């Protein structure tokens, strides 16, 4: 905890969906779901309009389709567009301070003290937050973000979550516990389902309840390292530094059990929950990895890791879980396990295109469509399979637009862009030679030779 509110945390609102609504004016103010659009797809994010119907990140797309009204847009992801927008935002943050730590594609910490130029009074940082939000919206063509500012990473991050979307919360130094203690324990990073369950059983629901427990109590409940960590966080004790440009080498999650677990069914459920978190973080970072690792610590503290490397990178929680479960079966849980971890390494960044590409027949996400070079025996996709919902296209006569739907040899395109009014829909033959895949559109009006201001 620092003496001044010098740590800023930014998290953009419904990020992928917000970029879609910027580039597709007919979708503004409407429910939009971005993710895998095939039979077994998973939701990456939903616009706030779609969240009103219950659509959520990590839900199956099939479930989101059941919940959302007709006319909801279900779109595959356009990673190049998200990256470009993210780069613009990260550039604005770097203008505030040399110490910027991007956490994911839409989230970063900034150490305002490191620039030596900011007045760090509560009034001044509040004004700085307000003006940053304005500049982000202007530079991104209307994508909004939520900002939290406080004396630590913990308080800044909680602040950015408190008033989402388009929020700004400054936690004045000295007021940390007033903000922290009413929150549920699950709002602290590192409290997974197993820990939360354990804490709930002994009546610990809020961070305040947690703070009322002694350190030995917490150590007895959740183990030594974890207990000490929670004891400190519940008191807002957090001195973690903002580390610039952290390079992510692997994404993993582990849980320590307070009692050794032997039941493979219970362990399997823990693996599923960890794989879901790992998959979500990979998705969020726009990355995937080829090596899945299972870490386990036995009752006698011997620790081992087992891994399997796939031919294709994955970020699919079901695939990660299936491999980790198999590795557990091979390693065995004899004598009991006190710790289990699931990780993915060998990471690569999605370049562009339909990052949620999936065959409609339920084939795995590592579909041959992604790697024609390594799957020569696969026939080329039928013409309408080249198109996916949300994709940017250009038609030689009709101009720029995006794919709304496809099937039965046809493709439906809406001809509009970030700088146009909502545009008309046309149905074309899927093999129309005048229709081409296109790069994401520019959202900034070209600065022509207008009057100089
Ligand atoms: P988040 O910041 O968690 O979510 P969000 O920006 O969509 O919504 P908000 O912050 O307003 O609650 O994640 C940022 C992006 O990362 C999100 O737009 C899509 C992607 N993502 C996934 O692909 N899978 C996931 O499970 C999550 C949580 C996010
Ligand atoms: Mg976000």
């Amino acid at each position: 905890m620092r003496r001044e509110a010098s740590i800023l945390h930014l998290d953009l609102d419904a990020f992928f969906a917000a970029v879609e609504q910027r580039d597709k004016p007919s979708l503004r103010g409407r429910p939009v779901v971005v993710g895998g659009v095939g039979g077994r797809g998973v939701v990456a994010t939903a616009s706030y309009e779609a969240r009103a119907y219950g659509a959520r990140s990590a839900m199956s797309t099939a479930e989101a389709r059941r919940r959302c009204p007709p006319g909801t847009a279900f779109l595959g992801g356009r990673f190049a567009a998200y990256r470009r927008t993210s780069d613009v935002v990260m550039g604005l943050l770097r203008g505030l301070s040399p110490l910027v730590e991007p956490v994911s594609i839409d989230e970063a910490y900034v150490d305002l003290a490191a620039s030596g130029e900011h007045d760090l009074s509560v009034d001044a940082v509040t004004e700085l937050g307000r003006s940053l939000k304005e500049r982000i919206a202007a530079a991104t063509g209307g994508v909004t973000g939520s900002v939290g500012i406080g004396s630590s990473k913990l308080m800044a991050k909680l602040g950015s979550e408190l008033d989402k979307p388009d929020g700004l919360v400054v936690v004045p130094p000295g007021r940390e516990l007033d903000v922290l203690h009413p929150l549920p324990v699950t709002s602290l990073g590192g409290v997974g389902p197993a820990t939360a369950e354990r804490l709930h059983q002994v009546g610990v629901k809020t961070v305040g309840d947690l703070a009322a427990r002694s350190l030995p109590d917490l150590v007895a409940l959740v183990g030594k390292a974890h207990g000490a960590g929670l004891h400190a966080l519940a008191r807002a004790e957090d001195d973690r530094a903002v580390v610039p440009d952290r390079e992510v080498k692997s994404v993993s999650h582990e849980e320590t059990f307070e009692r050794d677990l032997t039941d493979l069914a219970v362990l399997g459920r823990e693996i599923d929950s960890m794989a879901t978190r790992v998959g979500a973080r990979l998705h969020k970072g726009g990355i995937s990895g080829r090596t899945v690792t299972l870490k386990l610590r036995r009752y006698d503290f011997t620790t081992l890791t087992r891994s399997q490397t796939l031919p294709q990178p994955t970020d699919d929680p079901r695939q990660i879980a299936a491999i980790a479960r198999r590795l557990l079966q091979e390693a065995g849980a004899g004598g009991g396990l006190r710790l289990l971890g699931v990780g993915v390494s060998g990471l690569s960044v999605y370049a562009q295109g339909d990052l949620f590409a999936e065959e409609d027949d339920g084939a795995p996400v590592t579909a041959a469509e992604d790697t024609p070079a390594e799957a020569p025996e696969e026939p080329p996709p039928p013409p309408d399979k080249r198109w996916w919902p949300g994709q940017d296209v250009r038609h030689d006569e009709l101009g720029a637009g995006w794919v709304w739907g496809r099937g039965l040899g046809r493709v439906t395109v809406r001809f509009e862009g970030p700088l146009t009014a909502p545009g008309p829909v046309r149905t074309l033959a899927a093999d129309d030679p005048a229709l081409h895949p296109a790069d994401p559109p520019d959202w900034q009006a070209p600065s022509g030779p207008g009057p100089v201001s």
Side-chain angles (χ1 to χ4, degrees):
M1 212 172 356
R2 297 152 184 84
R3 264 182 288 129
E4 287 161 320
S6 58
I7 307 296
L8 180 149
H9 181 259
L10 167 76
D11 189 319
L12 300 172
D13 302 318
F15 180 49
F16 292 3
V19 171
E20 296 304 336
Q21 289 177 324
R22 174 195 69 203
D23 290 348
K24 301 173 167 64
S26 63
L27 300 184
R28 293 177 195 158
R30 298 201 14 216
V32 173
V33 175
V34 181
V37 292
R40 303 194 311 161
V42 174
V43 174
T45 196
S47 70
Y48 278 78
E49 295 85 357
R51 291 183 200 192
Y53 295 96
R56 293 282 181 277
S57 293
M59 172 183 279
S60 75
T61 302
E63 175 65 22
R65 281 187 201 275
R66 279 193 288 277
R67 293 187 183 207
C68 288
T72 300
F74 286 86
L75 308 174
R78 296 180 305 130
F79 229 85
Y82 311 148
R83 264 283 159 234
R84 270 170 57 189
T85 306
S86 172
D87 288 346
V88 167
V89 173
M90 297 296 170
L92 289 175
L93 297 182
R94 290 199 175 88
L96 289 178
S97 165
L99 254 192
V100 175
E101 178 178 334
V103 181
S104 77
I105 193 167
D106 85 326
E107 187 187 342
Y109 290 100
V110 183
D111 187 334
L112 298 172
S115 94
E117 282 171 8
H118 298 295
D119 173 351
L120 297 174
S121 67
V122 168
D123 285 349
V125 295
T126 305
E127 185 43 42
L128 181 148
R130 223 190 322 267
S131 103
L132 172 67
K133 278 158 52 72
E134 265 173 34
R135 282 180 297 132
I136 288 173
T140 59
V143 175
T144 62
S146 296
V147 168
I149 304 177
S151 57
S152 64
K153 281 180 156 179
L154 172 70
M155 296 316 301
K157 176 153 172 85
L158 290 173
S160 74
E161 284 164 4
L162 279 176
D163 193 24
K164 246 186 181 299
D166 204 9
L168 171 60
V169 172
V170 178
V171 181
R175 305 294 301 278
E176 287 85 358
L177 299 184
D178 301 341
V179 173
L180 190 57
H181 281 183
L183 297 175
V185 277
T186 46
S187 57
L188 298 177
V191 177
T195 304
E197 173 64 27
R198 197 76 211 123
L199 293 171
H200 280 188
Q201 272 169 10
V202 296
V204 173
K205 298 231 158 66
T206 65
V207 181
D209 298 338
L210 193 64
R213 297 301 176 120
S214 69
L215 179 58
D217 253 18
L218 290 180
V219 168
L221 268 172
V222 298
K224 197 167 170 194
H226 206 184
L230 292 182
H231 186 79
L233 287 183
R235 285 163 184 69
E237 287 164 11
D238 172 22
D239 285 325
R240 283 173 298 161
V242 173
V243 183
D245 285 334
R246 186 173 57 180
E247 200 198 331
V248 183
K249 296 225 166 58
S250 71
V251 172
S252 64
H253 190 85
E254 58 183 53
E255 288 262 349
T256 308
F257 313 118
E258 96 290 347
R259 203 178 312 113
D260 295 349
L261 296 182
T262 47
D263 185 340
L264 281 179
V266 174
L267 289 165
R269 281 199 295 279
E270 288 289 341
I271 284 179
D272 292 347
S273 146
M274 287 187 269
T276 302
R277 284 164 169 249
V278 168
R281 276 166 56 202
L282 289 168
H283 238 155
K284 214 185 147 179
I287 45 186
S288 58
R290 285 182 55 203
T291 303
V292 177
T293 301
L294 178 78
K295 172 176 168 186
L296 44 89
R297 181 166 300 141
R298 298 195 188 280
Y299 67 99
D300 59 358
F301 282 93
T302 52
T303 303
L304 59 135
T305 58
R306 289 282 177 271
S307 52
Q308 183 186 333
T309 297
L310 298 161
Q312 299 298 324
T314 184
D315 62 357
D316 178 359
R318 284 156 311 193
Q319 194 176 11
I320 297 165
I323 294 168
R325 276 169 171 263
R326 191 165 63 240
L327 293 170
L328 174 64
Q329 215 127 49
E330 284 162 19
L337 300 183
R338 45 182 51 215
L339 175 145
L340 205 55
V342 174
V344 173
S345 56
L347 303 176
S348 50
V349 177
Y350 288 106
Q352 56 176 42
D354 180 7
L355 73 145
F356 308 106
E358 238 187 317
E359 293 290 302
D360 284 342
D361 60 10
V365 274
T366 50
E369 182 168 278
D370 291 338
T371 53
E374 287 184 29
E377 73 278 14
E378 286 290 320
D384 57 354
K385 281 282 171 94
R386 286 192 300 148
W387 311 112
W388 45 270
Q391 183 181 13
D392 294 306
V393 292
R394 168 164 288 282
H395 189 277
D396 292 339
E397 281 114 53
L398 298 167
W402 58 276
V403 172
W404 170 265
R406 59 163 192 203
L408 303 175
R410 310 202 159 264
V411 56
T412 313
V413 177
R414 193 181 275 279
F415 288 95
E416 63 180 7
L419 300 171
T420 73
V425 169
R426 294 269 186 283
T427 297
L428 308 165
D431 57 0
D432 186 334
L435 188 65
H436 318 282
D439 288 334
D442 276 321
W443 68 85
Q444 256 138 351
S447 44
V452 183
S453 58

